[in-house]
Amino acid sequence: MTQHTILSRLMGEMIKYDSGDVKRIQHLVKVHDFARIIGIAEGMNEEELFVLEAAAILHDVGIHAAEAKYGNCSGKYQEELGPDEARKVLSGVEGFSDGQIERICWLIAHHHTYTNVTSKDHRILLEADFLVNSFEDNISTDGIIAFRNNVFRSHSAITLLNDMWNIKQ
Ligand SMILES: [Fe+2]
């Protein structure tokens, strides 16, 4: 099975997991697409891109569990509960090695962690999520610029954000 096929099946499983929550589904499809665009532009190899794309599809998988257990879906609760939920979804899709699953779960457990970001996949996941959240959460232009300056590092992600919002500074 090719990695494209595996990711296509994972997307299907994740949409089934989120069934009825159309807003979340639209969110994860967009984050996955931005992550793929940035990952390719930043020169990721096939293996890195595969793990990044899977993590992007699954990154918010802890939201429903966080709402059920804690009554809110703050980033910290999502990070705590996301990996176990991700393993459930991943168990329905063949083709992931144990090492890949560990890295995907680590990324999910750190997708609201903005300090000490030292790895390319972690950085790109944060950038892709914000490219979508900057629109979905109605963030002000000042807020977008501040987040860009604090978190964004990938050249292609900075260009995408600036171009999307027509930011000249
Ligand atoms: Fe997200």
Side-chain angles (χ1 to χ4, degrees):
M1 208 175 349
T2 67
Q3 293 190 329
H4 294 302
T5 306
I6 297 167
L7 290 170
S8 170
R9 290 186 183 178
L10 179 64
M11 183 66 88
E13 284 298 310
M14 190 58 210
I15 289 171
K16 195 192 296 176
Y17 178 93
D18 271 348
S19 182
D21 195 344
V22 179
K23 194 165 169 255
R24 292 271 165 236
I25 293 167
Q26 296 278 320
H27 175 82
L28 74 91
V29 171
K30 288 187 280 185
V31 173
H32 167 256
D33 209 318
F34 276 123
R36 179 172 165 76
I37 291 165
I38 300 165
I40 291 169
E42 297 299 314
M44 277 187 151
N45 64 34
E46 290 291 312
E47 170 68 17
E48 292 171 320
L49 197 58
F50 180 65
V51 169
L52 172 67
E53 287 190 54
I57 290 167
L58 292 164
H59 77 282
D60 277 334
V61 69
I63 281 184
H64 292 124
E67 282 170 347
K69 184 170 177 185
Y70 295 111
N72 82 61
C73 56
S74 86
K76 281 293 142 201
Y77 296 148
Q78 280 187 54
E79 288 187 343
E80 176 199 331
L81 300 171
D84 279 354
E85 294 304 304
R87 287 177 204 280
K88 289 181 199 167
V89 180
L90 285 163
S91 71
V93 183
E94 282 177 42
F96 292 95
S97 70
D98 290 347
Q100 288 166 340
I101 290 171
E102 286 311 309
R103 187 61 189 169
I104 292 163
C105 288
W106 186 92
L107 288 166
I108 292 166
H110 292 81
H111 87 274
H112 283 279
T113 300
Y114 305 105
T115 51
N116 297 319
V117 181
T118 56
S119 47
K120 195 171 10 175
D121 51 3
H122 185 194
R123 175 83 60 197
I124 294 174
L125 183 57
L126 298 180
E127 293 165 339
D129 202 16
F130 187 76
L131 276 156
V132 179
N133 286 334
S134 63
F135 173 67
E136 293 184 348
D137 296 345
N138 291 314
I139 296 177
S140 69
T141 303
D142 285 350
I144 291 168
I145 291 170
F147 193 97
R148 181 199 66 192
N149 293 347
N150 288 330
V151 177
F152 277 50
R153 293 291 180 274
S154 307
H155 183 76
S156 59
I158 293 168
T159 301
L160 284 170
L161 189 70
N162 287 343
D163 286 347
M164 189 168 81
W165 288 102
N166 195 23
I167 292 169
K168 305 289 189 195
Q169 48 184 299

